[in-house]
Amino acid sequence: MVSQTIDVLKNELPLVQELVVLPEDVVTGLVLVDIINGFCTVGAGNLAPREPNTQISRTISESVRLARLFCDKKLPVMAFLDSHHPDKPEDPYPPHCIQGTDESNLVP
């Protein structure tokens, strides 16, 4: 079932992977979105994975690699963190990434 879904997605959303070269004469920044415990760390919350997930692990590894590359080149890196007020539900999602909890922190 999963492989059929992935095949449909690949067909409907074709992506071409290619090498990206960052020109030295242009300032380029990196934006990381929701690489946080509440979405990426096993058991860290209602929307976190219940067991280890290779796709999430690869995403984190690649994000770390890119962030280090950008930092080494003194290029800007910005991270968006999902964070919610405990008294404001975000239907249809269960409570997640409540402000001040470890769920809304970047993964280690």
Side-chain angles (χ1 to χ4, degrees):
M1 174 69 176
V2 172
S3 65
Q4 288 174 326
T5 303
I6 291 172
D7 289 340
V8 169
L9 284 172
K10 285 180 179 178
N11 192 40
E12 295 296 318
L13 299 168
L15 296 173
V16 177
Q17 288 184 312
E18 57 187 51
L19 183 63
V20 176
V21 178
L22 301 176
E24 296 293 328
D25 61 337
V26 176
V27 176
T28 304
L30 176 66
V31 178
L32 300 171
V33 179
D34 292 343
I35 309 294
I36 58 173
N37 290 321
F39 295 142
C40 300
T41 302
V42 173
N46 288 322
L47 297 180
R50 301 281 179 235
E51 57 192 37
N53 181 296
T54 55
Q55 285 181 304
I56 292 172
S57 297
R58 283 195 311 250
T59 298
I60 293 168
S61 295
E62 183 65 5
S63 297
V64 168
R65 186 187 74 77
L66 287 170
R68 286 189 175 132
L69 175 71
F70 275 69
C71 289
D72 289 346
K73 292 181 175 254
K74 308 274 192 266
L75 294 171
V77 176
M78 179 171 61
F80 285 101
L81 306 177
D82 195 41
S83 180
H84 301 279
H85 192 277
D87 297 330
K88 295 184 180 177
E90 188 184 8
D91 292 329
Y93 304 104
H96 66 282
C97 304
I98 303 300
Q99 291 173 348
T101 68
D102 195 45
E103 276 187 82
S104 60
N105 290 335
L106 284 172
V107 297

